[in-house]
Amino acid sequence: MTQLTSNNKRVKKQLFIMLAIVLGMFGFCYALVPLYNVFCQVTGLNGKTSNKAQLAIAKVDKSRVVTVELLATLNNSLPNHAGEFAAQTKKFTIHPGEYINTSYWVKNLKNQPMVVQAIPSVSPGLAARHIKKVECFCFQHQPLEAQQGKEMPLVFTVDPALPTTVKTITLAYTLFDVTQK
Amino acid sequence: MTNISATHHEHEHDHHHDHGPAKGLLRWVFTTNHKDIGTLYLWFSFAMFLFAGTLAMLIRAELFKPGEQLVNPEFFNQLTTLHGLIMVFGAVMPAFVGLANWLIPMMIGAPDMALPRLNNWSFWILPIAFSILISTLLMEGSAPNFGWTFYAPLSTEFGPPSTDFFIFSVHMMGISSIMGAINVIATILNLRAPGMTMMKMPIFCWSWLITAFLLIAVMPVLAGAVTMMLTDRHFGTSFFNAAGGGDPVMFQHVFWFFGHPEVYIMILPAFGIISQILPTFTRKPLFGYASMVYAISSIAFLSFIVWAHHMFTTGMPLAGELFFMYATMLIAVPTGVKVFNWIATMFRGAMSFETPMLFTLAFIFLFTMGGFSGLMLAIVPADFQYQDTYFVVAHFHYVLVPGAIFSIMAAAYYWLPKWTGHMYDETLGKTHFWLSFISVNVTFFPMHFLGLAGMPRRIPDYALQFADFNQIVSIGGFMFGASQLLFLYIVIKTIRGGEKATDRVWENAEGLEWTLSSPPPYHSFQTPPPIK
């Protein structure tokens, strides 16, 4: 009988360890979310640009040019009849380091106010960290009154450190309706 | 459980310990006996195999000719989704748990599993989970229609309302598998007969011990992923929603962090079964026992660091692609060790070809082929071409059908005489094998060609040039499906009667389970057996 009780204690200890692994791995799944974001920030994966204003770059690389295309898409949360969203100029050719000062046009076509948020995405993804924004409408939520339209400023450049293999960069903004319901 | 006096033999023993099974149907509901629960698991898995197989027959009927034939595209998507989910979680995994329940206590000289009540619970969750999942077919809207991989945002923002039922059923399957795995670990670590050291343990127990650790490590990750889906759908979180700063690609990372170890969960116990059967019919001990154990362990470890090879086309940097490519190819080394050990076991053996051996040989040959197409898929530039084509379908069906499923059938034929006390009909068994072997290749081999020619997976219609091969595939599929009804007949016939099986059943069978009577007593080893 003494052997049985010691055996029971052993089983209980093992059960405890195994349950700890189970709970730990469940927690690890959630820990993957911040880990993934940090990993993407460090490596510049996923075509996400920084959502903070960057310091200005003084140097201009006159030896080559880069084509920058600006795209605008309405997310499914915003059907076509609910809003207008477009880049003022769709294509620029610049020397890396030169600033582009442009804007996007947005209009609320609904009869009630809404809040929108633009999410940037860069392709090729690895060029994302070389896009340096001084000002971007994507940094914050944009409240719009019913039927209100507005120009939203965008000032950015391409870092001269951009790999020479990249000739064209596409900067795409997707507009989401983030109105609190 | 273990406090049985050693001086009493079970037959002389009075009533309070070695009662037989209770009477009536409720016996199956309340049972805590490892053999009863093993039987329940195996029958449940076979029922799910036939159900998900029926869905596959509908898929093949639709694809018999180009154009819309039988089902509409929306329903086709539900068919592929449920076929995959039920085969993985309802057929293959419970079958292995059922075999573990039946065999592990008998193999290590224990009277039962270590945690019998938990065992009962872990089984009875399954029928409930799958009733929920299958009931989505009858729900308004549609059943889950986003593939068994349920990538976000297809399953979050665009999933039908029944997705929530799917999420809860996955939670329940996860709880069931985790409890089953905990039970296997506790049994193997505590209930081995005195003298049975870890390295004397039958290799099937080793493969299941490692599988159980994989299960408790990754099933919680799957539970986490579906919980994130649930809160994204209903509670305003944005794990996978870009509007709130989330990322749909992260879903794929989380899913495959679970998903890749999951594919080894479905094949490691198969390796154990094959390593158990092969020595019997070659009349030689298993070649390289220790290296087999290390190979299984290294495959399990590597399975955690290769998940992104499912995602080469999501836009990874070159360094990531190279890392995951080489890590994936590295898995071929321990797998190769196992295959060569099996071949070395056969080398100069006195082989005979009973049905379990035929399935075992087919496993070794066809699983290796599936492994090779896996290596092709590991090559990044080639994968860009193969991604989401029928080549992928051919690959994973080769490792799962003539891989995992054939190993389960081999195990069923091998231990059925032990379980039932009757020999199965050898002629029918061999007929079943040859029908399955031929039809499985007719079904899945042409899929390689279809994939290389560019036919995408998960589509209800296809371009005309794929028509011939699809017809061959469908005919093979119908043949394979029908052959499994023969298997059902053979199993029922064996249970009901047949030539009496000896205790050892096979001429050269080694292991504690063969020292018990056929069928074995309700409680296997009341007194620990001596270990040589």
Side-chain angles (χ1 to χ4, degrees):
Chain A
M1 284 314 276
T2 46
Q3 205 195 342
L4 182 72
T5 35
S6 70
N7 203 25
N8 269 352
K9 258 187 200 156
R10 210 177 121 189
V11 173
K12 271 196 187 129
K13 194 179 151 204
Q14 286 166 356
L15 275 183
F16 184 77
I17 295 172
M18 286 187 272
L19 282 177
I21 298 178
V22 169
L23 292 179
M25 288 308 289
F26 189 75
F28 175 71
C29 181
Y30 280 83
L32 280 173
V33 178
L35 281 176
Y36 179 75
N37 283 337
V38 170
F39 185 78
C40 288
Q41 258 166 27
V42 172
T43 56
L45 285 179
N46 258 17
K48 278 188 181 170
T49 54
S50 173
N51 55 3
K52 290 189 192 73
Q54 308 280 310
L55 291 176
I57 288 173
K59 203 174 61 174
V60 177
D61 180 1
K62 290 274 180 199
S63 65
R64 60 175 170 146
V65 291
V66 183
T67 306
V68 180
E69 295 170 339
L70 296 178
L71 300 184
T73 316
L74 287 173
N75 179 258
N76 275 15
S77 60
L78 261 174
N80 271 330
H81 54 82
E84 281 173 11
F85 184 49
Q88 186 201 44
T89 313
K90 292 198 169 69
K91 197 171 183 178
F92 294 91
T93 302
I94 56 160
H95 296 293
E98 277 176 358
Y99 275 88
I100 295 175
N101 198 334
T102 181
S103 68
Y104 269 68
W105 166 251
V106 66
K107 185 166 187 208
N108 180 3
L109 298 179
K110 292 200 283 193
N111 287 323
Q112 63 232 45
M114 68 172 170
V115 183
V116 293
Q117 162 89 55
I119 302 286
S121 173
V122 177
S123 39
L126 293 174
R129 60 176 154 167
H130 298 292
I131 298 271
K132 303 288 182 191
K133 295 177 190 169
V134 174
E135 189 182 354
C136 179
F137 55 91
C138 60
F139 291 163
Q140 59 254 274
H141 288 176
Q142 300 284 346
L144 295 170
E145 294 303 319
Q147 301 292 345
Q148 182 198 355
K150 71 174 171 185
E151 290 280 343
M152 303 188 295
L154 170 65
V155 182
F156 72 99
T157 187
V158 177
D159 192 334
L162 180 79
T164 48
T165 48
V166 181
K167 309 272 188 249
T168 305
I169 300 177
T170 306
L171 177 54
Y173 285 98
T174 308
L175 198 69
F176 289 84
D177 180 1
V178 293
T179 315
Q180 293 292 327
K181 279 166 196 122
Chain B
M1 243 158 9
T2 49
N3 61 344
I4 312 292
S5 161
T7 52
H8 284 75
H9 193 266
E10 62 165 299
H11 292 297
E12 289 99 35
H13 204 282
D14 36 36
H15 300 292
H16 56 273
H17 278 306
D18 43 308
H19 51 85
K23 298 278 174 282
L25 272 182
L26 280 179
R27 161 198 175 182
W28 298 103
V29 181
F30 297 124
T31 185
T32 54
N33 180 282
H34 75 101
K35 298 189 182 76
D36 284 354
I37 294 173
T39 306
L40 285 171
Y41 263 114
L42 288 171
W43 275 115
F44 175 77
S45 122
F46 196 61
M48 288 299 112
F49 177 63
L50 291 183
F51 180 80
T54 311
L55 301 184
M57 296 300 103
L58 286 173
I59 293 172
R60 283 323 315 175
E62 171 61 37
L63 293 175
F64 191 75
K65 279 202 310 194
E68 201 176 306
Q69 304 298 326
L70 200 66
V71 297
N72 58 36
E74 291 77 21
F75 189 62
F76 186 88
N77 289 339
Q78 301 166 37
L79 286 176
T80 53
T81 306
L82 287 172
H83 166 72
L85 284 169
I86 297 174
M87 281 295 189
V88 168
F89 294 103
V92 175
M93 286 169 69
F96 283 132
V97 183
L99 291 170
N101 261 296
W102 250 106
L103 297 171
I104 288 174
M106 298 206 298
M107 283 178 164
I108 62 173
D112 205 307
M113 297 293 275
L115 310 160
R117 281 166 204 261
L118 191 74
N119 208 6
N120 173 292
W121 197 21
S122 80
F123 171 75
W124 279 107
I125 286 179
L126 276 184
I128 299 167
F130 281 91
S131 311
I132 294 175
L133 184 62
I134 292 170
S135 71
T136 58
L137 277 172
L138 309 170
M139 282 179 195
E140 214 174 315
S142 108
N145 54 5
F146 27 68
W148 87 278
T149 50
F150 52 100
Y151 279 6
L154 198 56
S155 59
T156 49
E157 279 167 61
F158 306 102
S162 63
T163 307
D164 303 323
F165 288 88
F166 153 80
I167 289 172
F168 282 118
S169 72
V170 170
H171 274 136
M172 291 168 74
M173 293 167 205
I175 291 170
S176 162
S177 310
I178 289 168
M179 291 196 303
I182 286 177
N183 211 346
V184 166
I185 296 174
T187 308
I188 291 179
L189 293 187
N190 298 297
L191 297 189
R192 294 193 315 281
M196 179 170 282
T197 57
M198 292 299 270
M199 292 308 275
K200 273 187 187 169
M201 209 163 57
I203 198 107
F204 177 72
C205 302
W206 256 114
S207 69
W208 239 111
L209 180 67
I210 292 163
T211 306
F213 274 109
L214 285 182
L215 276 167
I216 61 171
V218 300
M219 291 313 279
V221 176
L222 176 68
V226 291
T227 311
M228 288 178 190
M229 268 174 69
L230 187 74
T231 55
D232 265 16
R233 280 169 63 83
H234 296 295
F235 303 106
T237 60
S238 314
F239 288 107
F240 309 128
N241 179 2
D247 196 322
V249 178
M250 194 186 68
F251 175 86
Q252 299 185 26
H253 283 286
V254 176
F255 179 82
W256 287 114
F257 186 82
F258 146 79
H260 203 76
E262 167 71 15
V263 308
Y264 291 99
I265 288 168
M266 292 190 285
I267 205 65
L268 292 185
F271 290 167
I273 291 167
I274 298 308
S275 309
Q276 214 63 55
I277 296 177
L278 204 56
T280 301
F281 298 101
T282 51
R283 290 158 184 82
K284 275 177 67 193
L286 182 68
F287 184 88
Y289 172 90
S291 65
M292 286 298 214
V293 173
Y294 298 132
I296 297 178
S297 314
S298 27
I299 292 172
F301 168 74
L302 287 172
S303 74
F304 282 101
I305 55 164
V306 296
W307 77 90
H309 66 207
H310 297 269
M311 306 166 52
F312 281 147
T313 56
T314 55
M316 259 193 281
L318 188 64
E321 284 168 346
L322 284 173
F323 170 79
F324 285 109
M325 175 168 90
Y326 288 130
T328 305
M329 290 180 165
L330 205 56
I331 297 184
V333 177
T335 314
V337 167
K338 299 195 73 71
V339 173
F340 283 120
N341 277 348
W342 288 326
I343 293 172
T345 307
M346 288 187 275
F347 181 63
R348 306 183 80 169
M351 289 208 274
S352 59
F353 300 93
E354 288 85 346
T355 312
M357 180 63 166
L358 290 174
F359 274 106
T360 299
L361 293 175
F363 172 95
I364 296 172
F365 185 58
L366 297 179
F367 174 80
T368 306
M369 266 175 50
F372 279 135
S373 58
L375 272 178
M376 290 171 73
L377 287 163
I379 303 167
V380 175
D383 181 79
F384 278 32
Q385 180 72 19
Y386 305 151
Q387 165 87 21
D388 270 338
T389 67
Y390 256 76
F391 192 80
V392 179
V393 180
H395 159 68
F396 68 73
H397 279 96
Y398 254 92
V399 289
L400 282 173
V401 184
I405 303 264
F406 269 26
S407 82
I408 294 164
M409 285 170 177
Y413 282 111
Y414 185 59
W415 281 290
L416 204 56
K418 169 56 65 187
W419 297 337
T420 62
H422 305 293
M423 284 307 284
Y424 61 87
D425 187 326
E426 190 65 59
T427 319
L428 283 181
K430 281 188 173 145
T431 314
H432 172 227
F433 167 77
W434 284 110
L435 283 173
S436 299
F437 178 79
I438 293 166
S439 59
V440 94
N441 285 298
V442 175
T443 310
F444 297 117
F445 204 79
M447 286 187 182
H448 291 110
F449 306 135
L450 284 170
L452 292 177
M455 177 166 157
R457 64 190 283 206
R458 289 173 175 161
I459 48 154
D461 187 10
Y462 48 82
L464 290 177
Q465 68 267 32
F466 302 131
D468 293 351
F469 274 135
N470 267 296
Q471 243 162 48
I472 297 172
V473 168
S474 286
I475 291 168
F478 299 144
M479 256 177 75
F480 185 78
S483 313
Q484 304 326 307
L485 297 175
L486 179 61
F487 181 54
L488 177 66
Y489 172 74
I490 295 170
V491 172
I492 292 174
K493 190 172 173 234
T494 313
I495 292 172
R496 304 190 111 198
E499 193 195 325
K500 195 90 189 77
T502 59
D503 288 358
R504 207 177 183 196
V505 182
W506 311 105
E507 193 180 277
N508 194 45
E510 299 285 346
L512 289 177
E513 75 266 34
W514 307 110
T515 63
L516 292 165
S517 59
S518 301
Y522 198 54
H523 297 287
S524 307
F525 289 99
Q526 301 281 24
T527 47
I531 310 289
K532 277 171 279 183

